[in-house]
Amino acid sequence: MSTVLLILVALGFLSIVVEDMVHIDKAKTTLFFGSLAWLLYFIAPPAHLSHDVLMERLDENLLDIATLWLFLMAAMTFVAYLSGKGIIDSIVNRLLPTRISERKLMLLTGLFAFLFSSLADNITATLVCIAVLMNLKLPAEKLLRYVVLVVFSVNAGGTALITGDVTTLMIFLADKVEIPDLLLLSLPAAGAVAVLAGMLSLGLSGEVQIQKQETVIDRGDKVIAILFFATILGTIGANVAFGIPPVLCFLFGLSLMFLVVQFLNKDEPVLEYIRKIEFDTLLFFLGVLLLVGMLKELGMLAYFPALYDVMPPVAANFLVGIASALFDNVPLTAALLNSGIDMTLPEWLSLTYSVGVGGSLLIIGSAAGVIAMSKVEALTFVSHLRYFLYLLVAYSVGFVAVLGLGQLLVM
């Protein structure tokens, strides 16, 4: 049965790759294979697992999925409101000139995504960045380059903060690294973003014309925009100070948005914005997480600690980062931490970087990538794969820079 389940998981991921050829929405296929795998897991469970244990494992996976789903729903509703009211267009008009070179826009996109994801979570940063890019009306081929950079940049931006990436927090809580050491990770991570932006800029020589439109923003909508950023900052602060899960803060912020709109503009059907979010994105996210959860249950992640028995920790960390493009980096990191691997500070820093950034190598390797693929029609598994070598070079440059940084810290 384990073999059958692995085949179903493989078919689920394969359905994402061949979506353009079979013309079946990836949200449908991933949900089908993900739910079917769990059904068979219950029908023919491993001999040593009781029904209570099966339910416990399913509940654990569903809790993780529900948390991400609700968080994503709240963030997407906020962004849908801000976009529908023209607030994002207004920000673009204020920040960008009428004409800007495509290369300069590439660098600004990478910098903005990197910095914003250092403040916000990867999902929110991705949604906002893509909304800005979509408003520029770029050709599909060029838009694809910018979105690839956004996915890499938002993953790199959260690596150096314990609030920016769950794996960073896990390694910190295990007393493997200190906060000052982590903050220095932002330097090689930003360098990797700059390298990727430079490579993606090759061949771009034109200019982007930005249509400036005067957008009148109501006082209530300005309040909602402020509330959105206050929710982001409040989420970070509440998580650090009290350990409050980000989903609770975002749901509270969403409820405040509903009440503010109700009192400032009673005729506004604010709940309609929930219906405007892309539920195919949520279903795709659900299907992918079911598939990843099944990989975890089948014990596939338990094989990775064995890498450290056959190769140096640095090489193993590099490969683990690449593997995180297919396997969920959270249980992967947990498996490594629980294995009792002994590494030096530079090696732990390199692992922190690799599991945080490595998921960018494949479009299905991170939440940012999954969201981007669902929002941008031109972005598919195959189209993203065309930039794999660029991404691998940028990832490798950052990895080497982290090793150099670690050596300086221990001198």
Side-chain angles (χ1 to χ4, degrees):
M1 180 54 70
S2 295
T3 302
V4 173
L5 294 177
L6 282 174
I7 292 174
L8 288 177
V9 173
L11 289 174
F13 286 119
L14 181 63
S15 70
I16 301 172
V17 179
V18 300
E19 179 190 21
D20 291 337
M21 291 179 276
V22 299
H23 303 293
I24 302 177
D25 193 311
K26 55 186 172 291
K28 300 174 183 176
T29 54
T30 53
L31 183 59
F32 170 77
F33 285 111
S35 57
L36 177 60
W38 277 96
L39 283 172
L40 294 179
Y41 190 60
F42 268 79
I43 292 174
H48 63 284
L49 294 182
S50 66
H51 183 268
D52 290 339
V53 174
L54 289 174
M55 284 301 303
E56 182 180 340
R57 294 189 176 185
L58 176 62
D59 290 343
E60 181 181 347
N61 277 275
L62 290 181
L63 177 60
D64 292 338
I65 293 171
T67 300
L68 287 172
W69 244 61
L70 292 172
F71 182 89
L72 185 57
M73 181 272 295
M76 291 176 72
T77 304
F78 259 119
V79 174
Y81 183 92
L82 296 177
S83 180
K85 292 296 183 175
I87 296 175
I88 293 179
D89 285 337
S90 178
I91 293 174
V92 172
N93 288 340
R94 291 177 182 273
L95 294 180
L96 296 179
T98 305
R99 296 169 65 91
I100 184 173
S101 69
E102 292 174 340
R103 290 189 173 186
K104 184 178 290 186
L105 179 62
M106 184 71 73
L107 289 173
L108 288 177
T109 299
L111 178 62
F112 176 76
F114 181 86
L115 294 177
F116 190 35
S117 67
S118 298
L119 297 175
D121 63 280
N122 289 359
I123 294 176
T124 306
T126 303
L127 289 171
V128 172
C129 290
I130 288 179
V132 170
L133 289 173
M134 297 288 278
N135 287 336
L136 298 179
K137 309 298 182 185
L138 296 168
E141 183 59 35
K142 292 182 178 179
L143 175 63
L144 185 59
R145 296 192 182 199
Y146 290 98
V147 174
V148 168
L149 179 62
V150 165
V151 173
F152 187 91
S153 299
V154 297
N155 284 323
T159 302
L161 297 174
I162 59 175
T163 55
D165 194 288
V166 176
T167 54
T168 301
L169 177 62
M170 292 168 64
I171 295 172
F172 167 75
L173 292 177
D175 294 325
K176 305 301 182 182
V177 293
E178 300 293 335
I179 287 182
D181 302 328
L182 286 174
L183 292 177
L184 290 175
L185 269 184
S186 59
L187 297 177
V193 171
V195 168
L196 181 60
M199 290 189 293
L200 291 174
S201 296
L202 296 175
L204 296 180
S205 58
E207 289 188 332
V208 177
Q209 301 254 358
I210 300 175
Q211 301 294 328
K212 296 285 187 176
Q213 296 179 349
E214 290 297 328
T215 303
V216 179
I217 301 177
D218 295 337
R219 180 173 61 91
D221 294 335
K222 292 180 181 179
V223 173
I224 297 301
I226 294 173
L227 177 61
F228 176 57
F229 288 103
T231 299
I232 293 173
L233 296 177
T235 298
I236 296 173
N239 184 262
V240 172
F242 306 106
I244 299 176
V247 63
L248 287 178
C249 294
F250 253 82
L251 289 175
F252 180 68
L254 184 65
S255 68
L256 287 179
M257 185 188 89
F258 292 156
L259 292 175
V260 169
V261 174
Q262 174 67 30
F263 286 113
L264 293 180
N265 187 1
K266 295 184 178 181
D267 296 328
E268 176 73 35
V270 65
L271 290 176
E272 289 295 321
Y273 286 97
I274 295 181
R275 298 184 177 93
K276 292 183 179 180
I277 63 179
E278 294 81 358
F279 277 91
D280 56 342
T281 298
L282 295 175
L283 290 174
F284 177 47
F285 210 79
L286 171 60
V288 169
L289 291 177
L290 285 172
L291 292 171
V292 171
M294 181 50 61
L295 283 176
K296 175 184 173 184
E297 297 305 322
L298 293 174
M300 296 303 296
L301 302 181
Y303 293 102
F304 286 98
L307 285 175
Y308 295 81
D309 296 329
V310 297
M311 62 178 60
V314 170
N317 288 343
F318 184 82
L319 292 179
V320 165
I322 296 176
S324 70
L326 186 59
F327 298 92
D328 188 348
N329 60 354
V330 174
L332 181 57
T333 303
L336 295 176
L337 289 172
N338 293 332
S339 67
I341 296 171
D342 185 24
M343 294 194 292
T344 63
L345 175 61
E347 291 165 348
W348 280 114
L349 286 174
S350 68
L351 178 64
T352 305
Y353 169 87
S354 64
V355 294
V357 181
S360 308
L361 297 177
L362 296 178
I363 195 59
I364 59 173
S366 66
V370 173
I371 296 304
M373 183 164 50
S374 298
K375 300 285 286 184
V376 181
E377 185 176 352
L379 184 63
T380 63
F381 184 92
V382 175
S383 64
H384 184 273
L385 198 61
R386 296 206 302 264
Y387 298 98
F388 179 81
L389 288 180
Y390 286 179
L391 292 163
L392 183 60
V393 169
Y395 165 76
S396 302
V397 168
F399 187 86
V400 172
V402 171
L403 292 178
L405 173 67
Q407 292 300 330
L408 291 176
L409 291 175
V410 297
M411 289 178 61

